[in-house]
Amino acid sequence: MTDPVLPGATLGILGSGQLGRMLAQSARRMGYRVHTLSPATDSPTGQIADRETVAAYEDLDAIERFARDVDAVTFEFENISSAAADVAARHGPVRPRGEVLHLCQNRWREKHALTDAGLPTAPYEAVESLEALSAAIARLGTPCILKTAGFGYDGKGQARIDTADDAAAAWAAIGRGPAILEGVVDFAAELSVVAARGAAGDQVDFGVIENRHVDHILDVSIADAPLTDAQITRAREIAATVMEAFDVVGVLCVELFLDQNGELLVNELAPRPHNSGHLTIEACPSSQFDQQLRAVCGLPLGDTQRQRPTAMANLLGDLWAHGEPDWAAALSAPSVNLHLYGKAEPRPGRKMGHLTASAPDRDEAVRRVQAARAALVRPLNP
């Protein structure tokens, strides 16, 4: 274990979206300087950082120059090559390790690693051709979901297969490349556990969060999913097992299905803060971004105790269809908090920000955050 990277030092973030922005906000508050690298300029993270380097993630010379000027490196999203992580690691701690990114950025590797760790998943098979897909469909049955092995998120790179006759169209839809075929889970709920693990192996988590999706994009997240004590314990055990088995230092989210029989299955992993964990900024003494900073810098982890029932609602670019949203109307409820990500162009389906709301109970928190989001939409002129 290396010496901690203390306030006053410089944190390097590879990636420059909203996750890096919120990490940078935590880092600046705690006295760190922040550098970010990505192909974008005037990015969500760059607007907060002390220095914004514009370079491709494949530009290993630029990665090396970047790493020389910072004291620790972390990642804002997982689609960065392990080669870039290896180059950065020549100059200081890189957390999580490049091996963790390599594992999680490909569904083949991730599924096999989960299976090797004894963790439950939906039935799956790796496929590399239309012929292999047809054979896998025959074995798994329908309905099933075909997912690209790499670079898929928010439902992208996926195709549903309801009958064997759908195989060719699904194969074409995902680009005719390496993929995972998964059996469809008849789930009662979609859940997540956001956990943090420090350099000394200490671990914390934020409990079990309930997630509700619309068109494969996270719509609302609610703290403290209504589960049995045994289910909560099992979900947290799964997250702890992933963190230890993969030797993660940093924050990782385990996405879970709760099936109709009450059993938990691992859906996917995200080796970084997660959209469903944004509510921790208001709900907990130490947010997921605070925990990422603490873990990456080798500091003790913070308190994850929920202070009040809290819910989060995503703000997509669709809300700008009829002009600038009515921010004052949304914020008329004092329990509502607004986070905007600094993105210039609102597009349908693009995450532009989020709202959180707290309340005496979780149902009221959901009602408040959804009412605040609905108030954003300005009526059309008659």
Side-chain angles (χ1 to χ4, degrees):
M1 178 177 169
T2 59
D3 292 335
V5 178
L6 299 175
T10 301
L11 177 69
I13 304 173
L14 295 178
S16 65
Q18 63 264 24
L19 298 177
R21 180 187 184 92
M22 288 179 273
L23 172 60
Q25 289 168 336
S26 287
R28 295 292 292 271
R29 190 186 73 245
M30 288 180 62
Y32 289 86
R33 294 189 178 277
V34 177
H35 293 183
T36 184
L37 180 147
S38 80
T41 186
D42 191 32
S43 63
T45 308
Q47 293 165 11
I48 303 295
D50 296 275
R51 181 185 299 174
E52 181 179 47
T53 298
V54 179
Y57 300 124
E58 298 77 21
D59 186 343
L60 299 185
D61 290 336
I63 297 286
E64 184 145 32
R65 290 191 298 271
F66 176 79
R68 285 196 191 109
D69 288 339
V70 302
D71 298 291
V73 171
T74 191
F75 300 88
E76 195 259 352
F77 75 139
E78 57 266 41
N79 291 333
I80 294 170
S81 72
S82 56
D86 291 343
V87 166
R90 298 173 190 165
H91 302 281
V94 175
R95 294 166 175 157
R97 301 174 302 121
E99 293 88 344
V100 175
L101 295 180
H102 182 69
L103 192 89
C104 294
Q105 63 194 196
N106 181 281
R107 290 189 174 100
W108 284 13
R109 295 191 290 266
E110 181 178 283
K111 291 288 188 186
H112 293 320
L114 289 168
T115 301
D116 290 345
L119 295 170
T121 70
Y124 69 89
E125 293 201 23
V127 297
E128 294 188 271
S129 66
L130 178 57
E131 293 73 22
L133 172 60
S134 297
I137 293 170
R139 288 189 292 270
L140 287 183
T142 56
C144 50
I145 303 290
L146 185 65
K147 300 180 179 181
T148 55
F151 305 104
Y153 64 97
D154 287 345
K156 297 177 177 64
Q158 299 187 20
R160 182 182 173 96
I161 296 173
D162 290 304
T163 72
D165 293 339
D166 297 335
W171 183 244
I174 63 112
R176 300 182 176 88
I180 284 280
L181 184 71
E182 294 182 359
V184 169
V185 176
D186 183 15
F187 60 83
E190 294 182 82
L191 310 168
S192 58
V193 178
V194 178
R197 184 168 181 265
D202 47 322
Q203 297 189 40
V204 297
D205 67 64
F206 291 94
V208 186
I209 298 167
E210 178 187 353
N211 300 310
R212 301 174 184 175
H213 292 76
V214 174
D215 295 331
H216 304 289
I217 299 175
L218 182 62
D219 184 54
V220 173
S221 289
I222 314 150
D224 303 319
L227 305 176
T228 67
D229 289 346
Q231 289 167 334
I232 292 170
T233 298
R234 178 58 177 151
R236 298 177 74 177
E237 286 175 346
I238 289 171
T241 298
V242 170
M243 299 296 275
E244 186 170 352
F246 296 178
D247 190 22
V248 176
V249 175
V251 167
L252 180 141
C253 177
V254 182
E255 299 178 22
L256 299 160
F257 291 129
L258 177 71
D259 71 16
Q260 296 292 345
N261 296 319
E263 299 298 320
L264 290 163
L265 303 173
V266 179
N267 178 25
E268 291 184 349
L269 306 178
R272 50 167 172 76
H274 190 262
N275 196 170
S276 66
H278 293 349
L279 58 82
T280 64
I281 296 173
E282 277 79 37
C284 303
S286 184
S287 74
Q288 65 170 346
F289 301 102
D290 295 337
Q291 302 290 24
Q292 183 184 20
L293 177 69
R294 287 166 173 257
V296 167
C297 292
L299 299 174
L301 299 178
D303 183 2
T304 61
Q305 185 68 34
R306 193 84 66 251
Q307 295 178 306
R308 62 191 69 86
T310 304
M312 180 217 70
N314 269 328
L315 304 179
L316 304 184
D318 312 64
L319 289 167
W320 278 254
H322 304 299
E324 188 73 11
D326 191 343
W327 305 117
L331 294 173
S332 63
S335 63
V336 172
N337 291 278
L338 171 66
H339 297 258
L340 291 175
Y341 302 152
K343 297 179 180 180
E345 182 185 358
R347 298 192 299 267
R350 190 183 196 193
K351 294 174 183 174
M352 301 295 293
H354 71 267
L355 296 170
T356 62
S358 299
D361 61 71
R362 67 191 310 272
D363 290 340
E364 177 62 14
V366 174
R367 189 200 67 77
R368 289 182 183 182
V369 81
Q370 290 180 321
R373 183 171 60 184
L376 289 171
V377 181
R378 296 182 185 274
L380 291 173
N381 293 325

